[in-house]
Structure formats: C-alpha cells, structure tokens
Amino acid sequence: ISWMILWMLQKRQTIRREIEQDVQTHIEAERPLGIFFLVLVATMREGVESVIFLNAAIVHTGLGLQLLGSALGIALAVLLAFLLFQGIKRVPLRQFFTATSILLILFAAGLVAHGVHELQEAALLPVLSSPLFDISSFLPDNAAFGALLKSLFGYNANPSLLEVASYVAYLLGIATMWKWVVKKA
C-alpha cells in the first residue's frame, strides 16, 4: 500500500498525460483490444486485492459488518462512477487522490498496529505496557462504530504501548517519505 501511494505521488504530474497518450495511440492504431485488456486486468487485480483485504477483515471483525461495509462501498463506487460518467460532478483528481492516499495510509498504519498486536498475542513481541489507555467505556471496539474504525484504521480501545508506537512510527515514516517524494518531484 505504501509503495503504491508513494509511486502515485511521484507520478502525479505526468500520469494523466501518459495515460491519455497511450489511449490515443491505441485508438489511432485501431487496437481497442489493448485498452479492453488493460481495463480487464486492472479490474481483476483490484477485485482480487479487495477479496484478500475483505477476507482478512472478515477474519478480524466478523462477516456481518464486513458485508455491510462492502455493500456500502460498492454502492458508493457505483454512484461515484455514475456521477463521473454522466458529467454531473467534476472531481478534481489531485484532491481525490490525496484524500484516498491519506485514507490508505491510515488503513496501512492500522494493519501495522494490528500486526504488532497479533505478534504480542503470540508472545513474539514484548507487551511493554498493556493497556496504555482504555477508552472502551467511551468507544468500544466491538460496537458498530468502533468495529468500523477497527476494520478500517486498526482502532483498538485498549492498545499497548508498542501498538501505539508502531502506528505513530508508520505515520511519521510515511509522512517523511511523502515529503521527500514531493520535494524530489
């Protein structure tokens, strides 16, 4: 996830122009199958990726909430595609990709923190201070909103010090790399 975000950030200035040129080349050469297979492979890749993430999320939080989230995500994607194709709403691509990149970064940070949590449960990492804090009376991670935050961003109502440190370290690391890529570009 991190690599894709940084690559997209690095290519953001030229990617639209490159894609438009490639599409125009295929259209002018009357090779529409190239575009068709590109879209087919990209869609299949995203589908497989979604299945892998959803399977991991189902194992982590249960089937019911994931089905609801998946259905809402698909409905939102269909609505957004409809609006884009109809030309009703113009989405500024730079802001769209920035927002989705930030969401993906938070998702990846949650995966890192959850990985640390699982390694602590398996006694492969030390539990330095557990829990560091406990807000489960305010926002439990097994209630609807808490479970949604848990599945999307790795929310834990009572994390250990190492979980919080890994979440923050990931965010600081990716922010540093983001700044470096932007400065380099």
Side-chain angles (χ1 to χ4, degrees), residues 89-155:
K89 185 175 182 182
R90 210 157 181 89
V91 176
L93 290 179
R94 176 173 277 177
Q95 286 83 1
F96 175 77
F97 281 119
T98 299
T100 55
S101 293
I102 290 169
L103 288 174
L104 285 171
I105 286 169
L106 293 173
F107 181 76
L111 288 174
V112 169
H114 180 68
V116 167
H117 173 80
E118 293 298 316
L119 290 171
Q120 287 177 326
E121 280 190 352
L124 295 172
L125 285 178
V127 179
L128 301 177
S129 175
S130 185
L132 182 61
F133 55 83
D134 188 355
I135 57 172
S136 57
S137 61
F138 173 69
L139 183 60
D141 52 20
N142 58 357
F145 188 64
L148 179 67
L149 291 176
K150 184 176 187 174
S151 64
L152 288 178
F153 306 120
Y155 170 72

Side-chain angles (χ1 to χ4, degrees), residues 9-50:
L9 186 63
Q10 184 180 18
K11 293 288 191 178
R12 72 180 176 177
Q13 302 294 332
T14 61
I15 196 164
R16 181 178 183 158
R17 188 173 350 108
E18 290 172 6
I19 290 172
E20 288 173 351
Q21 287 173 349
D22 289 347
V23 167
Q24 190 62 34
T25 300
H26 279 280
I27 289 172
E28 288 172 359
E30 294 183 7
R31 292 182 296 190
L33 283 178
I35 296 172
F36 171 78
F37 284 117
L38 173 68
V39 171
L40 178 71
V41 169
T43 304
M44 285 176 47
R45 187 188 71 81
E46 290 301 321
V48 168
E49 192 174 287
S50 296

